[in-house]
């Protein structure tokens, strides 16, 4: 049995990624959107987690100055609640601290209890609301942030760890 791996997302991963994306979101990113992020957008980084060679989840960010914006995270429905998102997000936070980045930001639907629970367990807090951000339902987005002071464990000590 091989341990799960995390690697940069490649164009040849996109069939598997898109299957997860479409099973996860009412407004899924297109193949073109992922391709832009992994091939052209110089501030974007996307990584995939593989278990036994199969992609089970992925996470994309933008890195701008000393901030990281989480733009996408999803886990295959058959592999949820096994700590995959926690491992992916934990990796981002560990790397952010090592690089002395200070702020991690994301948007989430107020109805997405699973994701909000995940983010809160890493110390993210709601700092704002974007009105009507999701055009399919007209839902607002909650803005959540984790600040990473150099001398603190905020965001770096997930619940249960
Ligand atoms: C949100 C999502 C990425 C979580 O992935 P996951 O691998 O199942 O999450 P983990 O197993 O790492 O869980 C980490 C924590 O998240 C929270 N969480 C995850 N699923 C949850 C659920 N169904 N109900 C309540 N809390 C949940 C819990 O705090 C959990 O910690 P715990 O297991 O110690 O209680 C996954 O549900 C998903 O892909 N959803 C669809 C896409 C999505 O909404 N992405 C986020 C957009 S902002």
């Amino acid at each position: 049995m091989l341990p799960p791996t995390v690697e940069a997302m490649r164009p040849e991963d996109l069939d598997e990624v898109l299957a997860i994306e479409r099973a996860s979101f009412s407004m899924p990113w297109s193949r073109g959107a992922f391709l832009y992020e992994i091939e052209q957008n110089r501030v974007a980084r996307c990584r995939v987690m593989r278990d036994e060679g199969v992609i089970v989840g992925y996470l994309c960010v933008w890195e701008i100055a000393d901030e990281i914006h989480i733009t996408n995270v999803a886990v295959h429905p058959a592999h949820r609640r096994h700590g995959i998102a926690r491992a992916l997000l934990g990796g981002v936070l560990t790397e952010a601290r090592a690089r002395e980045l200070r702020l991690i930001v994301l948007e989430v639907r107020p109805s997405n209890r699973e994701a909000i629970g995940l983010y809160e367990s890493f110390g993210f807090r709601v700092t704002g609301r974007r009105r009507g951000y999701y055009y399919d339902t007209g839902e607002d987005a909650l803005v959540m942030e984790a600040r990473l002071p150099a001398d603190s464990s905020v965001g770096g000590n997930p619940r249960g760890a």
Side-chain angles (χ1 to χ4, degrees):
M1 218 169 89
L2 298 170
T5 58
V6 177
E7 290 155 9
M9 188 184 289
R10 302 161 307 164
E12 52 268 41
D13 296 331
L14 290 184
D15 286 345
E16 283 176 274
V17 166
L18 284 167
I20 298 173
E21 177 77 8
R22 288 170 185 151
S24 299
F25 295 107
S26 55
M27 294 193 300
W29 283 13
S30 65
R31 185 177 296 270
F34 277 105
L35 274 176
Y36 178 76
E37 295 296 287
I38 63 182
E39 292 188 328
Q40 292 186 57
N41 187 347
R42 293 172 65 174
V43 302
R45 307 271 177 274
C46 291
R47 59 201 78 185
V48 294
M49 180 176 282
R50 275 197 187 74
D51 192 7
E52 297 291 320
V54 174
I55 294 177
V56 291
Y58 53 86
L59 183 147
C60 295
V61 301
W62 288 342
E63 297 178 3
I64 302 170
D66 62 353
E67 291 186 22
I68 291 183
H69 194 125
I70 295 175
T71 56
N72 199 340
V73 53
V75 171
H76 190 295
H79 296 270
R80 289 186 187 159
R81 273 339 261 280
H82 293 155
I84 291 168
R86 185 180 292 288
L88 284 165
L89 189 55
V92 170
L93 286 155
T94 300
E95 200 181 306
R97 273 198 314 280
R99 294 172 49 203
E100 302 192 350
L101 304 180
R102 290 286 167 260
L103 182 65
I104 307 192
V105 184
L106 55 87
E107 285 96 17
V108 61
R109 291 179 194 252
S111 58
N112 194 343
R113 297 310 311 169
E114 296 90 339
I116 291 171
L118 168 71
Y119 303 138
E120 283 179 343
S121 75
F122 277 93
F124 282 78
R125 294 291 171 255
V126 174
T127 57
R129 185 178 272 263
R130 300 196 205 284
R131 298 269 166 219
Y133 184 84
Y134 296 104
Y135 60 80
D136 60 339
T137 58
E139 244 181 311
D140 297 345
L142 297 180
V143 179
M144 297 186 79
E145 294 183 359
R147 294 196 169 269
L148 304 177
D151 58 352
S152 158
S153 63
V154 171
N157 187 20
R159 190 181 63 226

